[in-house]
Amino acid sequence: MNKKMQFVLFIASLNCIAQSLFIPKEFQDAYDNGTRSPEGRPGYYYWQNKSEYDIDITILPDSSLLRGSEKIIYYNNSPDTLKWIVIRLYQNVNRPGNQRDYLYEEKDLSKGVVITSLKINGKEYNNRDKEIEDTGTNLIIKKQKIPPGKKTDISVSWEFTFPKINIMRMGQYDINVFFAAYWYPQIAVYDDIDGWDLQEYKGNTEFYNDFNDYNVKITVPNIYGVWATGDLMNADKIYSTKVYERYLSAQSSDKVIQVIGDDDISNKTQLYNSSSQVNTWIFIASGAPDFTFGTSSGYIWDARSVYDGVKNVIVSTVYNSPYKTPFNVCDESAQSVEMFSHVLPGIPFPYNKITLFNGGDGMESPMMVNMEWVNDHSWALYTYVHEIAHTYFPFYMGINERKYAWMDEGWAQMLSEYPEYALDTAVDFRSWNVQRYLRNAGTLDDAPIMTASYNLAENAYDHVSYFKACVAYNMLKELLNTRKTGLFKQALQEYMLRWNGRHPIPYDFFFTFDDIAGEDLGWFWRPWFFEVGAPDLSIDSVYNEGGMYHILVENDGSMPMPVVLTLWHDDNKSAVFTFPVDVWKDGKDSEWFICMPELQAGESEYFDIKKITLGTKYIPDTDTTDNVWKKK
Ligand SMILES: [Zn+2]
């Protein structure tokens, strides 16, 4: 460590809260090197790499083929000389012999990504070269030398066949419907924690990408429309006059406009430029963590705009007319964008557009959602609100979901609870998330949240990343908001602003919340994020002394949670007493609570309590049989 760095760390340590959490080695190195700071900010020496992609592709619907070429400029902003380049070839997951998290139908397997040309700084490579290692879904090109602060040029030509049955996040959904995600040769992330990300794509792993610039040209037959990440640069030349006018009016309309309607499809109206057999659509996106698109020749397109506080966001839904739902997906998606922007997280929507494309699955990507259209309102809502929430995590924040899936799935679950309930009260998803957590809480699948996601398989992965993390975030919200109204939102926003466009690790989250709360919350982080345990409170004993009810509550499961006691005079009259999460701060396993019901209710008859219950539907409890006390 040099003198300057010692000084920076010394200054940083004066400002930050003493930390009591164990820090694994790969993270400790980042603090020692000053790439991250102990109060949860990017460090003085923080860096990240990026790529510029110039991609030119053609979709050949008759042969289900995507054929493309790309030029990548990769910038090494790290202090290291890179000796490898790692290129992700996601679609190799469809190659016979590759590792997969799920059973794939053999007849739908393919050659994966067929590279027809690969050049690095002008030097041509082929797969027989000794420098090339094909590990499955990664292509490692060794014997490189990219010094700190330098860039390298990579050119690739490739093609692959869209899967039709094994459609994980992407594929051919109908004879004229394609969605492309995880589709172009992509430079893997090289970061200050793990160096090159060498994880294989086996189907379950999701995002970890740098923030890149994209210039993408997509050529399709002239009856196909394309909806994609980024801004369409040649809309005026591609759309017919009628479509173009509707497209423009949707950009300032808070009512849903049918840019392409049923009758356009049934009358076979020419919707796009027909001066050539094919059209080339040009999209540009800067600072985006990925690029995806959907294309179809027969889809309806609804669109409206919504104001997020600083700009209009265009919300589109693109779908097959038989899948028309009895509710308005476009309008409700716009309303959820509005709620995310103004309520929680309360940060303007990160993009100027979002398009929900009716492919299959329920899968987010920047500015795009690939969605199965379902007719049950609550469950349709559950999927699209969740996928839209992902715009914040992992896209506004560049989360490494391959290692810390809970840092994005948990937030997508938690942030969605409010819009979901505002748009449909039939299912209370906050309570549902608690029930889903309880399904596995206290089992061996209930691993500590701080388990690397690649070490968790199916059930444990879903349990930990989605439901346990969601409940833990809600407990954190309870904890902070009882300290000071709005403290949780303040800390969340600060964390998001510090790490927007960057790659936060779990400790950046813990330390930022400690920093804003003004204390070491290790006593809360440990049981909820680092240790095994289950949520289980119980009423041990009760006595009444002059109208003051003394209630002994045991924390049998070690998780700190709020204590909510309801004292019942009769079936209709009750008084509720809430004690904050802090009561478990010292790690004790039982505590006396004193409640005076007649003071709260203002009626002396409350003196006589028949029943006491513990908990609410928002507080998880693995055993509720011991949460009731009845007067004998
Ligand atoms: Zn998700």
Side-chain angles (χ1 to χ4, degrees):
M1 192 186 294
N2 64 32
K3 279 270 180 313
K4 187 169 147 213
M5 263 168 67
Q6 278 176 359
F7 180 71
V8 169
L9 287 181
F10 172 71
I11 293 295
S13 65
L14 287 181
N15 299 329
C16 80
I17 316 276
Q19 291 303 339
S20 60
L21 294 178
F22 171 73
I23 300 181
K25 188 178 180 308
E26 70 260 47
F27 305 125
Q28 189 57 58
D29 290 349
Y31 294 105
D32 293 344
N33 293 331
T35 56
R36 294 169 195 262
S37 86
E39 80 269 26
R41 293 175 191 277
Y44 185 83
Y45 294 100
Y46 181 79
W47 55 266
Q48 67 194 30
N49 293 350
K50 80 170 277 184
S51 303
E52 287 167 12
Y53 288 91
D54 210 328
I55 305 179
D56 198 339
I57 57 157
T58 302
I59 303 288
L60 303 164
D62 294 343
S63 46
S64 308
L65 208 66
L66 182 153
R67 187 171 284 156
S69 62
E70 64 180 3
K71 286 192 175 63
I72 310 166
I73 304 175
Y74 181 65
Y75 295 87
N76 177 21
N77 300 321
S78 82
D80 313 324
T81 295
L82 304 183
K83 297 189 176 70
W84 295 0
I85 294 171
V86 181
I87 301 180
R88 293 177 182 153
L89 304 173
Y90 294 96
Q91 291 309 311
N92 276 352
V93 72
N94 293 304
R95 217 166 49 169
N98 262 60
Q99 297 177 57
R100 286 179 277 271
D101 291 320
Y102 308 98
L103 278 179
Y104 277 39
E105 285 249 12
E106 216 158 304
K107 65 180 176 205
D108 199 35
L109 295 179
S110 68
K111 290 181 193 155
V113 183
V114 178
I115 302 274
T116 50
S117 157
L118 170 65
K119 278 188 207 161
I120 298 172
N121 291 327
K123 183 185 172 193
E124 194 122 16
Y125 288 81
N126 70 56
N127 53 12
R128 288 179 302 277
D129 287 335
K130 280 203 292 291
E131 294 100 313
I132 303 249
E133 189 181 343
D134 175 344
T135 64
T137 54
N138 289 325
L139 198 67
I140 305 176
I141 303 115
K142 297 181 175 167
K143 294 191 182 160
Q144 301 296 311
K145 194 175 176 189
I146 315 172
K150 298 292 181 206
K151 60 181 184 172
T152 196
D153 296 334
I154 300 144
S155 302
V156 192
S157 298
W158 81 100
E159 61 181 49
F160 69 83
T161 307
F162 279 91
K164 298 182 187 69
I165 304 166
N166 303 321
I167 39 180
M168 278 300 293
R169 315 170 202 292
M170 60 85 68
Q172 178 171 7
Y173 291 91
D174 206 334
I175 189 161
N176 60 342
V177 181
F178 299 83
F179 192 86
Y182 294 33
W183 60 278
Y184 58 94
Q186 181 190 61
I187 309 295
V189 176
Y190 182 88
D191 70 15
D192 62 325
I193 304 296
D194 296 301
W196 281 111
D197 170 26
L198 294 174
Q199 286 186 64
E200 294 293 318
Y201 176 64
K202 292 183 269 184
N204 199 35
T205 17
E206 295 191 358
F207 292 93
Y208 185 36
N209 295 342
D210 281 320
F211 292 85
N212 303 313
D213 295 340
Y214 292 89
N215 183 338
V216 184
K217 298 184 184 71
I218 303 169
T219 300
V220 290
N222 69 17
I223 53 168
Y224 278 71
V226 180
W227 293 267
T229 304
D231 295 323
L232 176 60
M233 304 312 288
N234 55 345
D236 55 335
K237 296 192 179 63
I238 291 258
Y239 294 131
S240 68
T241 313
K242 192 162 89 173
V243 172
Y244 187 57
E245 278 167 8
R246 293 177 188 161
Y247 164 79
L248 289 183
S249 61
Q251 309 205 353
S252 56
S253 166
D254 58 6
K255 300 274 176 300
V256 175
I257 287 182
Q258 282 223 307
V259 182
I260 298 174
D262 275 305
D263 48 345
D264 293 318
I265 304 298
S266 51
N267 298 337
K268 294 199 167 24
T269 313
Q270 181 59 37
L271 302 163
Y272 314 108
N273 181 5
S274 60
S275 63
S276 149
Q277 292 291 307
V278 292
N279 284 323
T280 298
W281 301 60
I282 304 169
F283 293 91
I284 287 185
S286 49
D290 204 358
F291 186 100
T292 67
F293 66 93
T295 181
S296 161
S297 64
Y299 270 16
I300 292 171
W301 177 11
D302 297 341
R304 63 160 279 195
S305 103
V306 61
Y307 186 65
D308 72 355
V310 294
K311 65 183 175 306
N312 276 342
V313 178
I314 315 306
V315 181
S316 295
T317 50
V318 181
Y319 56 99
N320 199 358
S321 72
Y323 297 156
K324 193 173 270 183
T325 50
F327 41 90
N328 196 324
V329 180
C330 183
D331 201 48
E332 292 189 342
S333 299
Q335 289 182 62
S336 61
V337 165
E338 194 170 25
M339 287 184 253
F340 288 133
S341 303
H342 296 284
V343 185
L344 199 69
I347 288 177
F349 201 66
Y351 303 123
N352 61 4
K353 66 187 282 196
I354 185 150
T355 303
L356 284 72
F357 184 89
N358 173 200
D361 215 315
M363 186 62 206
E364 75 281 8
S365 50
M367 303 171 228
M368 297 294 290
V369 175
N370 175 10
M371 235 193 77
E372 191 177 1
W373 249 228
V374 288
N375 273 319
D376 180 288
H377 185 231
S378 303
W379 292 102
L381 193 66
Y382 173 74
T383 308
Y384 55 80
V385 173
H386 173 102
E387 306 311 345
I388 295 169
H390 274 307
T391 306
Y392 292 96
F393 299 88
F395 301 136
Y396 183 79
M397 316 279 283
I399 305 293
N400 180 356
E401 203 179 339
R402 299 170 148 221
K403 195 171 177 183
Y404 332 110
W406 58 274
M407 289 181 74
D408 87 306
E409 295 297 358
W411 283 116
Q413 284 299 105
M414 193 271 189
L415 295 172
S416 297
E417 289 170 348
Y418 175 78
E420 282 160 353
Y421 198 68
L423 293 166
D424 184 353
T425 53
V427 180
D428 179 350
F429 279 103
R430 184 176 164 200
S431 159
W432 184 83
N433 283 328
V434 168
Q435 292 310 314
R436 269 302 268 107
Y437 163 56
L438 286 174
R439 197 187 285 178
N440 295 287
T443 70
L444 266 189
D445 274 353
D446 187 14
I449 293 177
M450 279 292 285
T451 307
S453 305
Y454 46 69
N455 289 328
L456 295 169
E458 297 168 43
N459 187 50
Y461 178 92
D462 289 351
H463 171 76
V464 168
S465 324
Y466 290 73
F467 307 110
K468 188 176 190 179
C470 171
V471 169
Y473 294 141
N474 271 313
M475 291 298 130
L476 178 63
K477 182 180 170 192
E478 295 286 323
L479 165 68
L480 294 185
N481 284 352
T482 47
R483 299 277 173 83
K484 192 176 115 194
T485 312
L487 185 58
F488 172 78
K489 186 169 164 179
Q490 186 194 337
L492 177 60
Q493 288 185 341
E494 177 65 23
Y495 164 57
M496 293 177 72
L497 294 174
R498 286 178 181 187
W499 290 95
N500 169 31
R502 298 188 166 110
H503 297 309
I505 56 168
Y507 292 84
D508 298 320
F509 159 66
F510 299 134
F511 293 168
T512 294
F513 272 70
D514 283 357
D515 190 30
I516 302 305
E519 76 173 80
D520 176 1
L521 296 170
W523 63 272
F524 178 84
W525 305 128
R526 266 188 296 276
W528 274 107
F529 291 82
F530 288 77
E531 296 168 357
V532 287
D536 185 13
L537 301 178
S538 61
I539 298 179
D540 183 80
S541 53
V542 176
Y543 70 88
N544 174 6
E545 198 174 60
M548 285 204 291
Y549 281 81
H550 296 245
I551 304 157
L552 182 63
V553 173
E554 290 208 336
N555 192 339
D556 307 312
S558 78
M559 303 304 244
M561 299 185 287
V563 174
V564 180
L565 291 160
T566 308
L567 278 64
W568 299 84
H569 171 66
D570 58 34
D571 286 347
N572 298 316
K573 286 184 182 166
S574 61
V576 180
F577 296 82
T578 302
F579 302 89
V581 187
D582 291 78
V583 297
W584 309 112
K585 188 174 172 175
D586 301 331
K588 55 193 157 200
D589 49 21
S590 66
E591 178 72 337
W592 284 99
F593 297 93
I594 300 170
C595 308
M596 293 186 68
E598 85 281 14
L599 277 187
Q600 193 190 77
E603 292 175 48
S604 59
E605 61 187 331
Y606 272 82
F607 192 80
D608 183 30
I609 292 299
K610 302 278 193 303
K611 185 172 83 173
I612 299 173
T613 54
L614 168 65
T616 74
K617 61 180 173 176
Y618 301 129
I619 301 172
D621 203 309
T622 49
D623 179 9
T624 50
T625 59
D626 51 15
N627 289 16
V628 185
W629 170 88
K630 283 188 177 129
K631 189 179 173 186
K632 292 192 180 84

